[in-house]
Amino acid sequence: MLKLHPKTLFVGQNQVFLPNCHSTNDIASQYTERDDNYDGLLVYTDFQSAGRGQRGTVWLAEPGQNVMMSVVLNTSYLSVNKQFDLSIATALGVYSGLNSLGVQDLSIKWPNDIYWQDKKLGGILIESSIREGKLKSSIIGIGLNVNQRDHLPERAVSLALAGYNYSRDEVICALCEGLEKHVLLLKKGYDLKQEYYRVLLGYQKERSFLSEGVTFQGVITGIGERGELLITSDHSKKKFDIKEISFCF
């Protein structure tokens, strides 16, 4: 694959392409262990055999069909208790990158899955290293279904199935550009929560959730300081961590 040319200052300007690997996040981590000067490094591949998702799930994709990439960011300006601000910025970066290509009907499903209509288009996994109470660096792993049409998980979709025809190169460049834009806003101290709420799936709308084996109706009213999902149900306010609740579709 030829070198990509995203219109960015630093995200994706240094690139590592591997025809296949176990995990782009793991490869990116190997670079950060050797040197601190890898801000914006892009690692991408045609196929990864052990891609990871949220909750410890395994993410698999057909070779050569989808985006499997990781970006290294210097996040030393963020304290540990601001980790979810980074999650918001990266999700908005992916959202805006796809939107810049003309993809419509997108939303972000808490915490940072990318949805097209009510189907999962892609996901983000952030792995950070910590030094003296601050994030030293973070690796942003992004998996996005682009051209795969068959053998997708239930309730998943690809850009091709949604009616969009893009090369993976176009998508990766757009993601790098959207990510850099929102990471720079975060670094400048902008509060991105209101932008996040505008595209958050189910925000201020009643829907069904599942927690501890019980289905209930509730309304998402916001996000807590550490990224918890805030839901009002039966006139009471509840707070949920990522492993404590799931959406019903």
Side-chain angles (χ1 to χ4, degrees), residues 2-247:
L2 297 175
K3 180 178 172 65
L4 307 180
H5 296 284
K7 298 174 182 177
T8 57
L9 297 173
F10 66 99
V11 173
Q13 292 304 309
N14 292 323
Q15 301 170 15
V16 175
F17 169 72
L18 300 168
N20 59 76
C21 68
H22 52 292
S23 163
T24 55
N25 266 29
D26 287 349
I27 299 300
S29 179
Q30 292 173 15
Y31 280 86
T32 62
E33 289 170 2
R34 293 197 296 264
D35 193 332
D36 288 340
N37 298 316
Y38 279 107
D39 195 20
L41 173 71
L42 167 68
V43 179
Y44 62 112
T45 186
D46 281 341
F47 177 74
Q48 58 181 8
S49 58
R52 298 188 297 281
Q54 296 283 4
R55 307 174 192 237
T57 58
V58 176
W59 192 80
L60 293 175
E62 290 186 354
Q65 298 298 304
N66 304 311
V67 166
M68 289 156 282
M69 60 181 274
S70 297
V71 173
V72 177
L73 295 175
N74 179 344
T75 48
S76 58
Y77 56 92
L78 285 175
S79 60
V80 172
N81 62 3
K82 293 293 185 180
Q83 288 187 74
F84 198 76
D85 290 357
L86 178 63
S87 180
I88 288 175
T90 55
L92 287 172
V94 172
Y95 177 99
S96 67
L98 292 172
N99 207 232
S100 73
L101 292 174
V103 182
Q104 303 296 314
D105 298 320
L106 293 169
S107 61
I108 297 171
K109 175 181 166 291
W110 175 85
N112 52 23
D113 283 337
I114 307 301
Y115 267 54
W116 178 80
Q117 297 184 359
D118 276 343
K119 295 184 177 180
K120 185 174 179 177
L121 182 62
I124 298 167
L125 177 67
I126 303 174
E127 297 179 307
S128 299
S129 58
I130 298 171
R131 178 189 290 170
E132 297 178 352
K134 290 193 174 183
L135 303 184
K136 174 176 173 282
S137 63
S138 299
I139 297 171
I140 314 300
I142 301 171
L144 193 79
N145 301 320
V146 179
N147 293 316
Q148 186 168 333
R149 291 180 175 272
D150 301 312
H151 311 300
L152 286 168
E154 186 179 0
R155 300 216 60 82
V157 70
S158 65
L159 289 175
L161 289 174
Y164 297 97
N165 181 27
Y166 299 113
S167 70
R168 288 183 302 149
D169 290 11
E170 289 177 287
V171 175
I172 292 173
C173 287
L175 296 183
C176 287
E177 291 159 14
L179 182 61
E180 179 174 279
K181 173 186 174 182
H182 283 83
V183 166
L184 288 176
L185 288 174
L186 178 65
K187 192 171 185 178
K188 291 176 182 178
Y190 283 81
D191 185 348
L192 299 174
K193 269 191 177 179
Q194 292 306 314
E195 183 180 350
Y196 181 75
Y197 289 153
R198 282 195 292 272
V199 297
L200 184 63
L201 180 67
Y203 182 63
Q204 297 290 13
K205 296 177 181 178
E206 187 167 343
R207 64 178 304 125
S208 297
F209 301 92
L210 177 67
S211 179
E212 297 181 342
V214 177
T215 301
F216 68 96
Q217 296 293 115
V219 177
I220 297 173
T221 56
I223 302 296
E225 286 297 316
R226 298 185 180 275
E228 310 96 327
L229 189 65
L230 307 181
I231 295 177
T232 297
S233 177
D234 294 329
H235 306 292
S236 65
K237 297 180 180 180
K238 302 178 181 180
K239 185 184 296 186
F240 297 92
D241 200 355
I242 187 170
K243 296 180 180 180
E244 298 175 339
I245 192 168
S246 57
F247 286 55

